Amino acid sequence: MDKTWEKMTVDEKQEVTFNKLLAPKDPQGNDMQFQSPEAKAKYQASITRLKDAIQMKKTPDRVPVSIFPGMFPFSHAGITIQKAMYDYDACTAAFKKFILEFKPDMNLGPETPGAGKFYEILDYKLYQWPGHGVPPERSYQAVEGEYMKADEYDLLIKDPTRYFTNHYLPRIFGALGGFSMLPNFPGILEMYGVAGNFIPYALPQVQETYKKLFEAGAEALKWAMAMGAVGGELKSLGYPNLLAAGFSKAPYDILSDTMRGTTGIMMDMYRRPDKLIAAMETIVPIAIDMGVGAMRQNGNPLVFMPLHKAADDFMSDDQFKKFYWPTLRKVIIGLIDAGCIPLPALEGYWGSRMESLKDLPRGKTIWMVDQSDIFEVKKTLGQVACLCGNVSSSMLLLSKPDEVRDYCKKLIDTVGRDGGFVMCNGAFFDEANPENIKAMVEVTREYGVY
């Protein structure tokens, strides 16, 4: 009898998942219909290249190549980012044009701009976006703040679900103020006084909150269907959407990016270190479930993890080893054990962290390298993990195509020589010289042959 998923080894889970990716299904559960035999072969070759690269093998033919675009596909198509966020047809048409023009082996999907109307309905506070605090042609901007107060650690640690519902969400979504009035559901046990717990649902503010949720849900579904449709179309043409399947973060970044803020969490490392560590431990299973839930929903094992606040400029190496790496490693291992493939992005410069980061099982993760010296990273983290990167945003914008080709050849010769490498840019980019993007893709196809 076949093993159940829970009884499989990590290697077995990975093999099952990639086999499913090689024979994809449509939303109705039927075998996907490719637009030609050539498209199917191209799709399967891309899956195989990525699988072999992650498992630290040489691919059958060449180094795989991908592109991590930010807002470039939309400006390149002649539309503003604001239009891409509100006109889903324009957004998906621009992304399709981008993929068919530059022809990467795999793509991130068109979801990057997000659903502007959805944010508007819920009165989102964490970001400003085009038309709402940012010019129409510019990318969205984070609005960092102290959305979790310093004296609320115990509330988070004791009951994270209630904390997020009653305290955090009403602060970051103006339309969800009614959540602060909701009862404590685990306390509703007996008939005595039970009716009193439901009085908040009669209050206009609570009822309005739920109306906004229903409206936002309908908009989110409309957006997701549009994004999924173009993703399916591109897949049928031979271009898999592999690198944005799920999402998770380091527990420290969850707290620092969107809850305590950079200033708050830096003070917490000195003023309440034990509370900070306990809160991060509380968040570990939440961060794991974020990635696992996405994998179960779409069958794609890759979980993108942008890493922000532990680059060399943010904390000392001792602080990294105490506050950042232990819980991040637990999340990564938890994702691996569940059959996911973590894709952490080393945003900024992480030179001093590599000895810690290489404490991972071999061939189970893929790391996006931004500003770190990728040739040095290859000697440490790159011995146990696939690397992708690190053609810089500045090179894609300002260099000449021949300079891009020369640098990509150096990456192929050094980082990709024995496998375990995916050619791509090192950070999301909004602006670039199209000829430089083409140079990165074309030189990989021509020169990166094993």
Side-chain angles (χ1 to χ4, degrees), residues 117-312:
K117 185 65 175 177
F118 169 85
Y119 303 136
E120 201 173 285
I121 292 168
L122 293 182
D123 187 19
Y124 196 31
K125 305 293 187 182
L126 274 179
Y127 284 82
Q128 294 180 337
W129 63 94
H132 285 260
V134 176
E137 68 279 2
R138 295 298 177 187
S139 183
Y140 44 73
Q141 295 293 320
V143 181
E144 193 170 280
E146 196 175 16
Y147 301 103
M148 171 184 167
K149 307 302 180 185
D151 61 357
E152 293 176 348
Y153 271 101
D154 285 337
L155 295 174
L156 172 64
I157 295 165
K158 180 181 178 181
D159 189 344
T161 299
R162 189 180 186 195
Y163 179 78
F164 275 95
T165 302
N166 291 63
H167 298 275
Y168 179 69
L169 291 181
R171 291 172 185 162
I172 67 166
F173 292 108
L176 301 186
F179 276 178
S180 63
M181 303 176 182
L182 294 182
N184 183 18
F185 289 104
I188 303 175
L189 301 173
E190 297 283 353
M191 67 176 290
Y192 307 106
V194 68
N197 288 288
F198 289 85
I199 290 174
Y201 291 98
L203 301 178
Q205 187 175 356
V206 175
Q207 292 184 354
E208 182 62 25
T209 290
Y210 277 92
K211 289 178 183 177
K212 289 294 184 181
L213 278 178
F214 298 150
E215 186 181 351
E219 187 64 29
L221 179 60
K222 178 182 175 183
W223 172 80
M225 290 178 68
M227 302 302 114
V230 76
E233 183 182 2
L234 287 170
K235 191 182 293 185
S236 75
L237 291 167
Y239 299 97
N241 177 355
L242 283 181
L243 296 181
F247 179 84
S248 189
K249 294 178 73 173
Y252 183 97
D253 285 339
I254 290 174
L255 282 165
S256 64
D257 287 353
T258 54
M259 298 180 73
R260 290 290 293 129
T262 304
T263 301
I265 203 164
M266 284 183 171
M267 292 191 294
D268 293 343
M269 286 194 289
Y270 294 96
R271 295 179 176 178
R272 48 192 70 85
D274 293 340
K275 296 288 188 186
L276 172 56
I277 291 172
M280 290 190 294
E281 293 287 352
T282 298
I283 290 172
V284 164
I286 298 172
I288 294 171
D289 287 344
M290 287 167 62
V292 174
M295 181 191 72
R296 289 174 177 167
Q297 182 177 6
N298 58 38
N300 190 330
L302 277 94
V303 177
F304 185 64
M305 303 179 70
L307 305 183
H308 295 148
K309 300 293 175 61
D312 288 3

Side-chain angles (χ1 to χ4, degrees), residues 360-429:
L360 289 170
R362 190 175 190 273
K364 300 294 182 289
T365 58
I366 174 172
W367 294 71
M368 181 179 176
V369 182
D370 179 16
Q371 297 175 27
S372 304
D373 184 340
I374 196 169
F375 305 104
E376 291 299 316
V377 174
K378 182 66 176 180
K379 300 174 184 177
T380 50
L381 176 62
Q383 297 303 300
V384 298
C386 177
L387 305 180
C388 62
N390 70 333
V391 182
S392 68
S393 299
S394 59
M395 175 172 281
L396 289 175
L397 177 61
L398 301 173
S399 295
K400 297 183 184 302
D402 283 345
E403 293 173 321
V404 174
R405 291 188 186 93
D406 288 344
Y407 185 70
C408 290
K409 287 180 179 180
K410 183 178 179 182
L411 289 172
I412 291 166
D413 288 339
T414 308
V415 186
R417 180 181 58 197
D418 298 317
F421 176 62
V422 175
M423 178 72 73
C424 71
N425 50 296
F428 296 99
F429 60 93

Side-chain angles (χ1 to χ4, degrees), residues 36-47:
S36 69
E38 293 77 16
K40 181 177 182 179
K42 180 166 63 174
Y43 171 91
Q44 293 182 330
S46 294
I47 299 289

Side-chain angles (χ1 to χ4, degrees), residues 42 46 49 62 64-69 95-108 234 238-240 243 423-425 437 440-442 445:
K42 180 166 63 174
S46 294
R49 287 187 199 106
R62 62 169 172 79
V65 58
S66 187
I67 308 172
F68 288 83
F95 189 79
K96 178 182 174 183
K97 176 182 181 296
F98 169 79
I99 295 299
L100 296 182
E101 179 178 349
F102 296 101
K103 298 178 173 60
D105 288 333
M106 59 213 78
N107 67 85
L108 282 166
L234 287 170
Y239 299 97
L243 296 181
M423 178 72 73
C424 71
N425 50 296
I437 301 174
M440 180 179 74
V441 175
E442 289 171 359
R445 294 183 186 279

